[in-house]
Amino acid sequence: MPRLLPPSKPAIQALPPHAGIGAGAIVQPRGADALARALDDLVAQPEIGFDTESKPVFTAGQVSTGPDVVQFATAERAYVLQLRDAGTEDLVRTVLQHPG
């Protein structure tokens, strides 16, 4: 599969402004039902944002064990996924491998 190039700075600047989402639209799905709903929402979107967070490393030579948290965002909702929670790794893998 060919790698996609990131959008150019002018292309990004041409995007319409986004008002953001409220705190109530930031969710941390836990449990099979909540993860299934999150997955259904994410794979139905034409685009999603993606970010990871890792526990900081403070000692030279120490190896990071992360990522620890994965975040996906749609235009209406953000999902914060703790990879240590059961089922979240499968959800992340499915979203990242989804052909859409």
Side-chain angles (χ1 to χ4, degrees), residues 25-99:
I26 301 170
V27 296
Q28 186 175 356
R30 288 195 171 126
D33 291 342
L35 290 168
R37 287 190 303 274
L39 178 61
D40 289 345
D41 183 28
L42 289 165
V43 299
Q45 302 298 319
E47 299 108 11
I48 57 174
F50 171 72
D51 188 26
T52 64
E53 302 291 336
S54 298
K55 179 182 172 186
V57 174
F58 297 106
T59 306
Q62 184 179 5
V63 177
S64 173
T65 60
D68 302 297
V69 177
V70 173
Q71 301 166 64
F72 290 121
T74 70
E76 295 85 25
R77 184 166 287 109
Y79 296 96
V80 179
L81 304 158
Q82 300 276 344
L83 291 179
R84 69 175 180 261
D85 291 345
T88 58
E89 194 171 314
D90 290 337
L91 180 146
V92 169
R93 185 179 297 109
T94 301
V95 171
L96 292 177
Q97 291 177 345
H98 193 271

